[in-house]
Amino acid sequence: MSGRQVGVFRLGLAIKFGVPVLGAAVMVSAVEARDATADQAALEPMFAPVVDAIPFEAHRRQKWDSPVVVDLDQDGRSDLIVTEHGKSLIVYWNEGRGRFSRAQQLAGGDLHGLAAADFDRDGVMDLVVAQGGGDGANPRRPLHLRIARDRTVVSRGTFDYFEKGRGRAVNFLDVGNDGLLDLVVTGFPTPDQPEGANHLYRYVTEEKLVFGGVLPQAKWLGYRTALTDFDGDGVADILLFGGENMVALKGAADGSFADASTAVLGGLANTSDVAGVAQIDFDNDGDLDLFLARAEHQFDLESYYDPASRTFAFLTFRKPFRHEFQNVTGDLVIENLQRSYPHYDVYLGKEKRKLADVPDRHAGRDLTIAASAAEGWPEGPTEEGLYIGHLGNGVWRIAGQVQSRLAAAIRGVDIAAPIEPQRALPARLFENRNGRFVDVSEAMGIDIDEQTTSVAAGDFDNDGWSDLAILRYGDMSRPTSHIVLLNRGGKHFERVDGHGVMVPDIGTTGGAVEIFDYDNDGALDLIVSSERGRWQLLHNRAADRRNFAGARVGYSPTGQAQAPGAVLTATACGRTYQRVVGAGSGAFSQSFNQDLHLGLGDCTAIGKAEVRWTNGETVPVTLRRGAYVNVGDGK
């Protein structure tokens, strides 16, 4: 298959994990032999894992936000950047023909959101990376990396004139519509930041961004960010979300921002716990609607139990915990034990025997502990750490107290205490009606009454209507099948089964999803992560590769404006399409995918199309079915 191997979840595996499968059983007969290929396709998922295109590591780790798609070495092929939270920032270089290099570390440590662009206009890509603030004890400034066309990476250190903080989101945008890229950074406010930690930095001279003011902040934890243009005036607007509410900041031509939450969102501004926002023109009317994934922050003790497999899983954070298991036969089997910032140890039995550590403490670990190695329970107070003890007669206890997150799954156990279900946080679809958003979730068939962590929008079946891939928060004690909603003509969304977007690992929760046509075949593929799990590349098998058109957007004709924020507008068969460079799924990071994709269905009458850059330059585009065309080469 064009140099790649696709590992397909076949019917038997889908049944094993309890995942419904599309289509009916294949009937073998001479009359129906001609339909065998179609029947087999119906039995297979829409998406299938690709095992050798991007050599993701096998270790399970904690993550931070969606991957970033960006042509980092400017060779015309999009590369991929992923963040393993607390450990490293990694790039996979696109070598062409759907194949990527081995991982190369760009930076290490407590790294958060990132954005890439040649903001200083010297022909070399700049990467700005927010750094965590050490839980408030070590506020820091963003990192600045430069990546040359030969893939040489040079660290410029931090922006020493930026205000220190607990960095979260980073986004480039053209504030004054002059073609120059400015920077918005958000953060968790420190005690000496009473006005908040959302800051605007304006580009003024080569390699120089100057402080442009403090932006309004959303309520507690409202530092997640999405750029949009909700009123269609060609000036970038900002959405802030993630905590108790949402804030809509309207951009003006003079580079200022005003809080327009009441006018734009009305009562919807009180929507809490928004984890991710996808821009989707679901009705093809030429404006940008919003889909909201919603989930709580991982601050509390969580526990799950699957009676079918007798698997218990838990997550704890800064609170003492104790779990006991009964009727354990033989050894205690622990899967995917993960310790964030693992500065503490694991102790066994009454004697508190320290469990031997491993070189890579940031990776998930599987353990099998014999009863004889962990007999009894320590007396008196215990220092910080994880304690495991066998109390006799097949009864085990796991307890302790740690300041960072700790998670694990325990196999083959019985529990006595009931498990409390998660609080429901329904996902929402907001329609843009002349710059004001209206909740149309029920009318459009959106019925997701659980927590979701990330969402990506794109036309997965190339029928001309944008669809949705949504990650469920899930149940740590079992594999998770996520959600795919297909858009039925802009009238409603249909939840499909057998889509193949699933995570077989346990001990994980929902992570992030991003769209990436990694092999440029016109079918939108997915990059999926799970928190405390692995990255996956999922190949799109369902889309007809003839039924699309696309544009790869570069610099404006004069070279005065870069691609971020550029808009492709096209008409086809009475429908209007709008696609924006940089409109990814990340709530903290900004993607820079220059390939803008349109599904066409059976439409052959592609009408007018144009690309408009942020400084107002426009060029007409002749779109072609079944191909991406290059637009803009002014630099």
Side-chain angles (χ1 to χ4, degrees), residues 68-388:
V68 169
V69 178
V70 55
D71 184 2
L72 207 55
D73 55 2
Q74 303 182 70
D75 64 354
R77 301 187 296 261
S78 294
D79 309 301
L80 188 72
I81 304 176
V82 301
T83 304
E84 310 285 6
H85 185 210
K87 186 178 187 296
S88 56
L89 183 71
I90 293 170
V91 62
Y92 294 92
W93 301 104
N94 190 332
E95 307 290 8
R97 299 182 181 275
R99 303 302 293 266
F100 289 73
S101 72
R102 294 185 180 277
Q104 177 182 339
Q105 179 169 309
L106 297 172
D110 182 14
L111 306 175
H112 293 176
L114 63 119
D118 178 16
F119 81 86
D120 54 9
R121 305 159 66 87
D122 66 351
V124 177
M125 290 292 284
D126 301 283
L127 194 63
V128 179
V129 188
Q131 298 191 92
D135 208 20
N138 182 31
R140 295 182 294 172
R141 301 178 176 94
L143 287 174
H144 180 196
L145 306 176
R146 289 167 51 84
I147 295 87
R149 294 174 186 265
D150 64 358
R151 300 180 178 176
T152 300
V153 179
V154 177
S155 175
R156 302 297 300 271
T158 62
F159 291 92
D160 57 8
Y161 53 92
F162 276 34
E163 186 171 336
K164 287 185 177 182
R166 300 172 64 180
R168 291 300 186 265
V170 181
N171 285 267
F172 282 112
L173 73 167
D174 182 355
V175 170
N177 287 82
D178 54 6
L180 304 176
L181 291 177
D182 310 294
L183 188 71
V184 169
V185 297
T186 70
F188 190 105
T190 60
D192 59 351
Q193 293 174 319
E195 295 182 341
N198 300 336
H199 298 149
L200 172 65
Y201 290 89
R202 300 292 303 273
Y203 176 89
V204 289
T205 60
E206 195 171 290
E207 293 193 17
K208 188 69 173 180
L209 293 161
V210 300
F211 184 73
V214 178
L215 297 174
Q217 61 179 329
K219 294 179 182 178
W220 185 68
L221 304 177
Y223 38 58
R224 303 185 191 215
T225 309
L227 302 183
T228 187
D229 180 10
F230 45 69
D231 51 6
D233 64 354
V235 180
D237 306 311
I238 303 174
L239 290 173
L240 299 172
F241 54 92
E244 297 177 6
N245 69 334
M246 300 178 67
V247 170
L249 303 181
K250 175 176 170 52
D254 63 1
S256 64
F257 288 89
D259 189 338
S261 304
T262 300
V264 173
L265 294 168
L268 302 181
N270 294 319
T271 306
S272 68
D273 300 288
V274 177
V277 172
Q279 299 185 59
I280 174 174
D281 184 6
F282 73 87
D283 47 5
N284 287 338
D285 64 353
D287 58 22
L288 296 173
D289 312 300
L290 304 174
F291 188 94
L292 279 55
R294 302 174 65 210
E296 294 177 307
H297 295 261
Q298 293 187 331
F299 289 160
D300 295 320
L301 179 65
E302 299 177 18
S303 55
Y304 306 84
Y305 185 65
D306 178 22
S309 64
R310 297 178 62 223
T311 300
F312 174 84
F314 73 95
L315 168 70
T316 187
F317 181 53
R318 295 181 180 170
K319 295 179 180 178
F321 62 94
R322 174 177 291 198
H323 302 295
E324 290 193 2
F325 315 109
Q326 305 168 5
N327 302 324
V328 179
T329 301
D331 303 331
L332 186 70
V333 178
I334 302 176
E335 188 169 330
N336 199 12
L337 171 65
Q338 294 230 12
R339 298 177 289 159
S340 301
Y341 304 102
H343 56 276
Y344 56 89
D345 293 300
V346 180
Y347 303 95
L348 302 181
K350 181 178 181 179
E351 304 301 323
K352 295 193 294 186
R353 184 171 63 86
K354 186 182 298 185
L355 185 69
D357 219 324
V358 291
D360 190 348
R361 303 183 79 181
H362 291 273
R365 188 178 181 185
D366 297 335
L367 298 171
T368 299
I369 301 174
S372 59
E375 289 292 350
W377 192 256
E379 297 179 359
T382 54
E383 59 195 56
E384 184 181 18
L386 171 63
Y387 296 83
I388 303 172

Side-chain angles (χ1 to χ4, degrees), residues 230-231 261-267 431-438:
F230 45 69
D231 51 6
S261 304
T262 300
V264 173
L265 294 168
E431 181 182 358
N432 189 336
R433 295 181 181 173
N434 299 318
R436 183 180 176 88
F437 291 101
V438 177

Side-chain angles (χ1 to χ4, degrees), residues 25-41:
V26 176
M27 297 179 62
V28 180
S29 69
V31 174
E32 296 176 348
R34 62 182 179 274
D35 296 326
T37 301
D39 287 340
Q40 181 63 25

